[in-house]
Amino acid sequence: MEIKRFIKEKSQLINQALEDYLPNQETHPARLHESMRYSVLAGGKRLRPILVLEAAKLIGANEDDILEAACALEMIHSYSLIHDDLPCMDDDDFRRGKPTNHKVFGEAIAVLAGDSLLTYAFELMTEIKNVSADKVLLAIRELAKASGNRGMVGGQVADIMAEGRNIDSDELEYIHTHKTGALLKASVRIGAILAGATDEELAALTTYAKEIGLGFQIVDDILDIEGDAKKLGKDIGSDLDRDKATFPAIYGLEESKKMASATCKRAKEALSIFGEDAKLLLQLADYIIEREY
Amino acid sequence: MEIKRFIKEKSQLINQALEDYLPNQETHPARLHESMRYSVLAGGKRLRPILVLEAAKLIGANEDDILEAACALEMIHSYSLIHDDLPCMDDDDFRRGKPTNHKVFGEAIAVLAGDSLLTYAFELMTEIKNVSADKVLLAIRELAKASGNRGMVGGQVADIMAEGRNIDSDELEYIHTHKTGALLKASVRIGAILAGATDEELAALTTYAKEIGLGFQIVDDILDIEGDAKKLGKDIGSDLDRDKATFPAIYGLEESKKMASATCKRAKEALSIFGEDAKLLLQLADYIIEREY
């Protein structure tokens, strides 16, 4: 399937860039850099960096000029997984089929590796070349807002506060638009901002990104019930076990599937202003939302 | 004493700015914002923001234009304390005479409050006005480098790796120049960079900052043995109990005191190019290094 090959190729490009940007593991203190590399280079589909690059290319930027931003998004994602897996959070032992960071390096180093990756993402953003400083600053602000208290971390806290009690659909939407959606949206927007998108282009891409973010999360919840543990690299049903807020828990499985398909449709409609040029982003929407079930 | 009154007045200005910049505690999710505010607004001498402001003013900037940067430095400092106090790190129950963040909000929220403060510091940096985007980007890079894997976090990891074994003076210096020194140095340099310092001015201020950073840490180690628990708001001797690397442990108490005084002298000499204008920074060096013993 064409899009799968495309994602595989792109993820190799991104893996190489991540490998190059991350300090090598002899850098003092070695244990920290080993730990950072362990999690970032553990694989994954690299969806966020791919969204950065494809949004930027759609607007007309050169991929090479945006690579730092693409990798910064992956580092933020990776830090969030390390902290999410900690014993005081989700207490997960495995991630992508490998022992989680704190299982290998201990909790203290895992906390600090996460902190470093978050910080390093911002450092990398300042290394972007061939883009005006004004645009880079806007992109940094976007990244900070999407990752922080009003974005991803806000969603994680809301998720924690929701555990073990019934929540309504508004709260579920808040959790997911923030916990997962914010960073996916930021990926697309950062690519577009750095490439110099017009307001109209940015608005269209923002709608696209919001919809795939929501769809992504609904599908994640569905896969948590229906999926294949091996493919996901984590325990099936673990969210239900923990009494976590999920779409199937509130809307039921069938309705959740319909909702996911609707987000995919709306995501693709939003890109109509770009015509054929948006082909890859359209395929990515299908891929992200129609995956595996 | 003049400098003490000055610090008190400045810290009130900074407290007000921090209060204004931090999201109020009704902002959703409230528990996160309560936790962020709890630690940032717990007091402290606000040395880092004061250094940002005074370095910028020495070069000729308007204090109001630099306030975001000053507060960003304090947020990074505050996040590092929250994560440092966690059970998996120093496991401290009290900080500045109050229960530590995780004691009040639980470990998960404490980790996330730290993450948010770190992220919010970068967001604030992008809000700096009346300074060119180029200079703001340089300042953001400085902040990221000083806080991350090659800066403060690097120092924390080296400190953890050193626990319970004998380390040499090189390793002790690495730990302290990174764990505490990097952020103090960045405070001075960020103020200077945003104010448009020349290379010569920046070099002089960098030497000043390195020396006070080193002096600060030596004095901290001395106070940990000799100090007044009430003033420090933490247990005396706690570093020795934990077999931590300290200057008195390697050099002895008297020699450590001499070393501290020497750093103060070198810090002040570095500012000779500024003449009388540097008066406040000279007094700050005295204050930071000659405090309390």
Side-chain angles (χ1 to χ4, degrees):
Chain A
M1 191 187 158
E2 199 191 329
I3 186 71
K4 280 198 181 165
R5 199 173 48 227
F6 170 81
I7 290 174
K8 208 177 162 192
E9 280 172 21
K10 278 290 139 183
S11 69
Q12 283 165 353
L13 171 91
I14 290 154
N15 289 343
Q16 188 56 54
L18 288 166
E19 174 90 43
D20 294 343
Y21 288 134
L22 283 167
N24 74 49
Q25 56 195 22
E26 280 83 49
T27 308
H28 189 66
R31 194 76 179 149
L32 173 63
H33 295 108
E34 223 183 297
S35 169
M36 291 166 75
R37 295 177 69 92
Y38 176 82
S39 287
V40 176
L41 302 177
K45 289 185 291 291
R46 312 303 190 193
L47 276 185
R48 290 155 196 81
I50 289 173
L51 288 170
V52 177
L53 295 180
E54 291 313 311
K57 277 159 64 185
L58 177 61
I59 305 301
N62 187 337
E63 190 168 83
D64 290 344
D65 294 337
I66 312 291
L67 262 182
E68 287 93 350
C71 290
L73 262 298
E74 190 66 16
M75 286 181 192
I76 300 260
H77 177 55
S78 189
Y79 118 75
S80 77
L81 300 179
I82 297 173
H83 283 189
D84 247 7
D85 288 338
L86 286 169
C88 67
M89 310 270 258
D90 286 352
D91 194 14
D92 277 318
D93 292 349
F94 289 93
R95 162 79 61 187
R96 290 171 182 150
K98 291 172 66 180
T100 44
N101 196 295
H102 66 271
K103 280 283 165 189
V104 179
F105 297 93
E107 278 182 63
I109 299 294
V111 169
L112 292 165
D115 293 345
S116 302
L117 286 170
L118 170 55
T119 312
Y120 199 59
F122 288 103
E123 185 178 335
L124 257 188
M125 292 295 289
T126 70
E127 304 285 351
I128 293 171
K129 304 185 180 54
N130 301 326
V131 175
S132 74
D134 285 320
K135 289 203 190 89
V136 175
L137 269 188
L138 279 180
I140 292 176
R141 186 182 303 163
E142 187 81 28
L143 185 61
K145 286 194 173 187
S147 316
N149 58 298
R150 286 189 174 102
M152 182 179 73
V153 174
Q156 284 170 314
V157 171
D159 197 20
I160 290 171
M161 306 304 288
E163 268 183 63
R165 61 181 181 83
N166 288 322
I167 61 163
D168 61 19
S169 56
D170 283 352
E171 186 61 16
L172 178 68
E173 197 188 319
Y174 175 88
I175 292 170
H176 289 327
T177 52
H178 289 74
K179 195 178 167 175
T180 329
L183 208 57
L184 288 166
K185 190 174 82 176
S187 302
V188 172
R189 282 177 55 88
I190 285 169
I193 288 167
L194 291 173
T198 64
D199 288 350
E200 191 198 359
E201 290 168 335
L202 189 58
L205 282 164
T206 303
T207 303
Y208 165 83
K210 275 186 188 169
E211 296 293 347
I212 59 168
L214 182 61
F216 181 89
Q217 188 57 52
I218 299 173
V219 172
D220 224 43
D221 285 356
I222 294 170
L223 287 176
D224 189 65
I225 297 173
E226 288 200 331
D228 176 334
K230 224 167 151 189
K231 273 189 192 153
L232 284 179
K234 62 178 186 181
D235 293 340
I236 293 300
S238 57
D239 290 347
L240 275 185
D241 287 352
R242 257 186 250 120
D243 216 355
K244 284 244 177 187
T246 68
F247 284 89
I250 289 195
Y251 296 99
L253 203 54
E254 285 317 306
E255 184 59 24
S256 297
K257 287 183 185 180
K258 279 185 204 154
M259 287 169 74
S261 292
T263 63
C264 189
K265 192 162 168 281
R266 289 193 300 266
K268 293 196 280 188
E269 279 166 6
L271 298 191
S272 60
I273 61 163
F274 297 106
E276 263 298 291
D277 293 344
K279 194 175 155 208
L280 256 162
L281 287 176
L282 298 178
Q283 290 181 322
L284 273 171
D286 277 330
Y287 173 79
I288 289 170
I289 301 171
E290 311 288 352
R291 62 192 157 131
E292 320 288 340
Y293 74 90
Chain B
M1 191 186 157
E2 199 190 328
I3 186 71
K4 281 199 180 164
R5 199 174 48 228
F6 170 82
I7 289 175
K8 206 177 164 193
E9 280 172 22
K10 279 290 140 184
S11 69
Q12 283 166 353
L13 170 92
I14 290 154
N15 289 343
Q16 188 56 55
L18 288 166
E19 173 89 44
D20 294 344
Y21 289 133
L22 283 166
N24 75 48
Q25 57 194 23
E26 280 83 51
T27 308
H28 190 65
R31 195 76 179 150
L32 174 63
H33 295 106
E34 221 184 299
S35 169
M36 291 166 75
R37 296 177 68 91
Y38 176 83
S39 288
V40 176
L41 301 177
K45 288 185 291 293
R46 311 305 190 192
L47 276 185
R48 290 156 196 81
I50 289 173
L51 288 170
V52 177
L53 295 180
E54 292 312 310
K57 278 159 65 185
L58 176 62
I59 305 301
N62 188 337
E63 189 168 84
D64 291 344
D65 293 337
I66 312 291
L67 263 182
E68 287 93 350
C71 290
L73 262 297
E74 190 65 17
M75 286 180 193
I76 301 260
H77 177 54
S78 190
Y79 118 75
S80 76
L81 300 179
I82 296 173
H83 283 190
D84 247 7
D85 288 337
L86 287 170
C88 68
M89 310 271 257
D90 286 352
D91 194 14
D92 277 318
D93 292 349
F94 288 94
R95 162 78 62 186
R96 290 172 181 150
K98 292 171 67 179
T100 44
N101 197 295
H102 66 270
K103 280 283 167 189
V104 178
F105 297 94
E107 278 182 62
I109 300 294
V111 169
L112 292 165
D115 292 346
S116 302
L117 287 170
L118 170 54
T119 311
Y120 198 59
F122 288 103
E123 184 177 335
L124 257 188
M125 292 295 289
T126 70
E127 303 285 352
I128 293 172
K129 306 189 178 55
N130 301 326
V131 175
S132 74
D134 285 319
K135 289 203 189 91
V136 175
L137 268 189
L138 279 180
I140 292 175
R141 186 182 303 164
E142 187 80 28
L143 185 61
K145 286 194 173 186
S147 316
N149 58 299
R150 287 188 173 100
M152 182 178 74
V153 174
Q156 287 170 312
V157 171
D159 197 20
I160 290 171
M161 306 305 288
E163 269 182 62
R165 62 181 180 85
N166 288 323
I167 62 162
D168 61 18
S169 56
D170 283 352
E171 185 62 16
L172 179 68
E173 198 187 319
Y174 176 88
I175 292 171
H176 289 325
T177 52
H178 289 74
K179 193 177 168 176
T180 330
L183 208 58
L184 288 166
K185 189 175 83 176
S187 303
V188 172
R189 282 177 56 87
I190 285 169
I193 289 167
L194 291 172
T198 64
D199 288 350
E200 192 199 359
E201 290 169 334
L202 190 58
L205 282 164
T206 303
T207 303
Y208 165 83
K210 276 186 188 168
E211 295 294 347
I212 60 168
L214 182 59
F216 181 91
Q217 188 58 51
I218 299 174
V219 173
D220 225 44
D221 285 356
I222 294 170
L223 287 175
D224 189 66
I225 297 173
E226 287 200 332
D228 175 334
K230 223 166 150 188
K231 274 189 191 153
L232 285 178
K234 64 178 183 180
D235 293 340
I236 294 300
S238 57
D239 289 347
L240 275 185
D241 288 351
R242 255 184 252 122
D243 215 354
K244 284 244 175 185
T246 68
F247 283 89
I250 289 195
Y251 296 100
L253 202 54
E254 285 317 304
E255 183 58 24
S256 297
K257 286 184 185 179
K258 279 185 204 156
M259 288 169 73
S261 292
T263 63
C264 188
K265 192 162 168 281
R266 288 194 300 266
K268 294 197 279 189
E269 279 166 6
L271 298 190
S272 60
I273 61 162
F274 298 106
E276 263 298 290
D277 293 344
K279 196 176 154 206
L280 256 162
L281 288 177
L282 298 178
Q283 290 182 321
L284 273 172
D286 277 329
Y287 173 79
I288 290 170
I289 301 172
E290 310 288 353
R291 62 192 159 136
E292 321 286 338
Y293 74 90

